[in-house]
Amino acid sequence: MDKTEPSNLVSSIIFPKGQQVTSEYFIGRTWVETLVSNDSVFNCAVYNVTFEPGARNNWHKHPGGQILLVTGGRGYYQEEGRPVKIIKEGDIVKIQPDVKHWHGAAQDSWLSHIAITTNPQKGEVEWMEPVSDEYFCRLK
């Protein structure tokens, strides 16, 4: 266990935390574990994603949509042109195809969610600009 992780986070994660993401499309430390790989039978990919406090992904779009099942902590979800929403354990977020959005942990909480990539045959995620620190730090 990383010394900066609260022990209750580790004990509350029900799926493997996975590997730390090393990508220009994420700010802060994030871990991803593939739970179900996309194949011709199930036609979706399922991931466990864990964000440290303040970590988030860039704005992005999924051509086939995405579903988030929040399994722990508290964070944010925002669609372009709409107010930010607070998400917490037990929330379900259904993201329509090609909707520009971002998600991540609140400044003072870890966030863990299951990310389901729906209709992956429609194409890969399109990554865009980061969510600026200036904007993110103003969120409550």
Side-chain angles (χ1 to χ4, degrees):
M1 176 174 81
D2 186 281
K3 292 180 189 219
T4 61
E5 288 181 5
S7 59
N8 62 345
L9 171 74
V10 174
S11 64
S12 68
I13 295 176
I14 58 175
F15 295 104
K17 187 169 120 181
Q19 300 299 311
Q20 188 170 337
V21 174
T22 53
S23 169
E24 63 188 289
Y25 305 122
F26 288 81
I27 294 171
R29 293 187 308 163
T30 304
W31 294 262
V32 175
E33 174 74 14
T34 302
L35 302 176
V36 178
S37 297
N38 181 37
D39 62 29
S40 61
V41 175
F42 295 105
N43 193 35
C44 69
V46 180
Y47 306 94
N48 184 52
V49 184
T50 303
F51 298 90
E52 74 174 348
R56 60 205 180 266
N57 52 34
N58 286 10
W59 288 95
H60 60 286
K61 295 179 183 179
H62 297 271
Q66 185 180 44
I67 300 170
L68 305 178
L69 308 174
V70 183
T71 57
R74 186 173 53 81
Y76 302 114
Y77 167 76
Q78 185 175 24
E79 295 180 359
E80 184 177 45
R82 296 188 175 223
V84 69
K85 292 181 179 180
I86 294 174
I87 57 175
K88 61 191 179 328
E89 184 175 337
D91 286 346
I92 299 169
V93 180
K94 292 167 63 175
I95 306 161
Q96 295 295 312
D98 289 318
V99 169
K100 184 176 176 181
H101 68 282
W102 69 272
H103 38 100
Q107 297 92 330
D108 61 351
S109 177
W110 288 78
L111 177 72
S112 187
H113 66 56
I114 302 299
I116 303 168
T117 302
T118 56
N119 305 299
Q121 73 279 5
K122 292 189 175 182
E124 296 291 320
V125 63
E126 178 185 350
W127 290 104
M128 298 167 199
E129 71 275 9
V131 176
S132 73
D133 287 340
E134 179 184 9
Y135 175 77
F136 185 79
C137 289
R138 286 186 276 140
L139 298 176
K140 299 286 179 206

